[in-house]
Amino acid sequence: MAQIQESPAVTLDDVLAELLERRQEFRDQRYVSRDFVGRLKAAGVYRSATPERFGGRPLPPAEFLRMVERISVVDGSTGWVASFGSALVYLAALPVETQAELYADGPDVCFAGGLFPVQRAEPTASGFLVDGRWKFASGCMGADILGVGIPGDDTTAGKPRTALLRPEQVEIVQEWDVVGMKGTGSFDLVVDKVEVPREWTFIRGGEPTIDEPLYRYPTLAYASQVLAVVGAGVARAALDFATEVGSGRSGVTGAPKLADRAYYRTGLAEAEATMRSARAYFYEVTDEAWQTVLSGDPVAPHQNAHLRLASTHLAKTAAETVNRVIGLSGTGAIATSHPLQWLLGDALVPQQHAFLGPAMYDAAGAVLMGHPPTVPGFQ
């Protein structure tokens, strides 16, 4: 069993203060620097889903989600990268011996994956010959281990596998030109005929080999939650900005400051109420599902449906909130350099993710009425 390694005395507040100074750097270079990923590790982000038996400090989902939300208030891209600290729950499906090797140097492991499009991998005597190019590997520049998607087979019920590789086995192609989450480093991964042993592959959402509470929480629902809560942080930043600016700035025409205008006060208050309501629902169902896990019972299909529904609704509401704040903010908000334009792009991304798209409403509604989900990978 691994010895628990204490992180340096770095608090999340310390990390957020540094992030405030460096977020433009990450945006300009299009990725979060490896040394700052190290700071996130020191604050405990990347041991939050490592099994206790390997020295981790697995957090209750709501606690981890609140941490990601706080980071995202300062910078959505860094919150997005930090959110994949939860992705180690996927790796709990690896053989125990593989996990022991993975965490041999300590519990703070940063995992990033470019899982799609799934690429063919020829079976070998001991595993798979991996070859191809994958997209959207968020956080890959600071990762200790990388995953790529390969086809499943009869042993996986057709579900794709993820093959794990070390960074030196992968070429990172810095192709990432987007309007939002510019600093996530969601680059392409290229692998040139590398043999990956079967024991270094897993099924995303597969049966865990580690029996600890976090790995009994719905894996795919958690994956959607950590992304949705990034949007919530971005929306909070927009609301805070609008409140501060509205309280003290007059218009360029000499008109009354925004806080003296009824439409601004009303619109901002409605946006606060709407956003806080979606957030409350999100954390309410998270806590309910976690209490079910702690009681030793499986999370029921209707609870999983609420987790997916609350995540989709939060991401959608967050994007709408930032749009609404811009609508209230007058001509100044149209400038490309305006802070709200940064937040608008970042808020767009979570709701565009496949885990959080409009189809999730239909799937959740079906399950809540006792029917099978209408999309694959829902539970």
Side-chain angles (χ1 to χ4, degrees):
M1 180 178 296
Q3 294 294 316
I4 295 179
Q5 300 180 8
E6 295 299 328
S7 291
V10 175
T11 69
L12 186 59
D13 286 338
D14 295 331
V15 173
L16 295 182
E18 181 178 342
L19 178 58
L20 188 62
E21 299 299 319
R22 298 188 64 184
R23 58 187 180 181
Q24 187 64 52
E25 169 196 338
F26 302 155
R27 180 182 175 88
D28 290 344
Q29 70 185 15
R30 296 180 298 153
Y31 64 89
V32 177
S33 297
R34 179 175 284 274
D35 73 290
F36 195 81
V37 171
R39 295 282 283 169
L40 293 170
K41 287 181 178 180
V45 171
Y46 289 101
R47 60 175 58 191
S48 298
T50 301
E52 276 191 279
R53 67 181 295 172
F54 298 120
R57 182 175 173 259
L59 294 179
E63 189 173 338
F64 181 79
L65 292 165
R66 288 187 173 93
M67 181 164 58
V68 172
E69 186 178 12
R70 285 189 63 196
I71 296 169
S72 302
V73 173
V74 180
D75 181 51
S77 290
T78 306
W80 190 268
V81 170
S83 78
F84 291 102
S86 67
L88 296 182
V89 297
Y90 295 150
L91 275 54
L94 289 166
V96 174
E97 297 77 14
T98 303
Q99 294 185 58
E101 186 176 343
L102 179 67
Y103 299 116
D105 293 330
D108 301 300
V109 172
C110 178
F111 168 58
L115 307 184
F116 298 99
V118 171
Q119 301 285 353
R120 293 182 61 186
E122 186 176 341
T124 67
S126 61
F128 303 92
L129 189 63
V130 177
D131 186 72
R133 182 166 177 162
W134 295 260
K135 303 192 74 66
F136 301 120
S138 300
C140 60
M141 296 294 285
D144 303 302
I145 193 80
L146 296 162
V148 296
I150 62 175
D153 51 32
D154 292 342
T155 66
T156 70
K159 296 179 181 178
R161 291 180 181 273
T162 300
L164 296 181
L165 302 107
R166 297 292 180 180
E168 60 270 18
Q169 297 175 300
V170 180
E171 177 190 358
I172 295 175
V173 180
Q174 296 189 20
E175 184 174 281
W176 184 240
D177 185 12
V178 289
V179 298
M181 299 293 177
K182 291 187 176 183
T184 59
S186 301
F187 300 139
D188 292 5
L189 303 181
V190 177
V191 180
D192 184 13
K193 295 181 175 60
V194 175
E195 186 172 19
V196 177
R198 180 175 290 269
E199 61 269 22
W200 282 86
T201 70
F202 65 91
I203 305 167
R204 187 166 62 162
E207 193 68 27
T209 58
I210 301 293
D211 187 19
E212 294 179 14
L214 183 59
Y215 314 111
R216 297 195 292 270
Y217 190 83
T219 305
L220 296 180
Y222 198 22
S224 69
Q225 288 186 287
V226 299
L227 302 179
V229 83
V230 174
V234 172
R236 171 45 50 200
L239 289 167
D240 289 349
F241 176 86
T243 301
E244 180 181 355
V245 169
S247 299
R249 183 180 298 173
S250 297
V252 295
T253 62
K257 64 184 179 181
L258 293 170
D260 292 333
R261 307 179 197 185
Y263 77 84
Y264 191 86
R265 296 192 301 267
T266 301
L268 191 56
E270 289 177 343
E272 275 280 0
T274 301
M275 188 63 214
R276 285 176 179 260
S277 297
R279 184 178 180 275
Y281 170 42
F282 177 82
Y283 281 111
E284 175 189 328
V285 297
T286 301
D287 288 332
E288 287 177 357
W290 183 239
Q291 289 306 314
T292 297
V293 169
L294 293 180
S295 72
D297 295 323
V299 172
H302 76 275
Q303 291 178 300
N304 182 77
H306 276 295
L307 293 174
R308 299 301 300 266
L309 176 59
S311 299
T312 301
H313 186 60
L314 185 66
K316 178 174 180 285
T317 302
E320 290 173 345
T321 296
V322 178
N323 268 294
R324 182 157 195 180
V325 168
I326 287 178
L328 294 169
S329 297
T331 307
I334 68 174
T336 55
S337 60
H338 195 280
L340 286 175
Q341 290 298 326
W342 181 333
L343 298 174
L344 179 65
D346 284 355
L348 172 68
V349 176
Q351 72 164 0
Q352 300 299 112
H353 196 278
F355 278 177
L356 299 167
M360 296 303 144
Y361 283 101
D362 180 35
V367 173
L368 292 176
M369 289 185 285
H371 293 280
T374 53
V375 299
F378 187 77
Q379 57 190 19

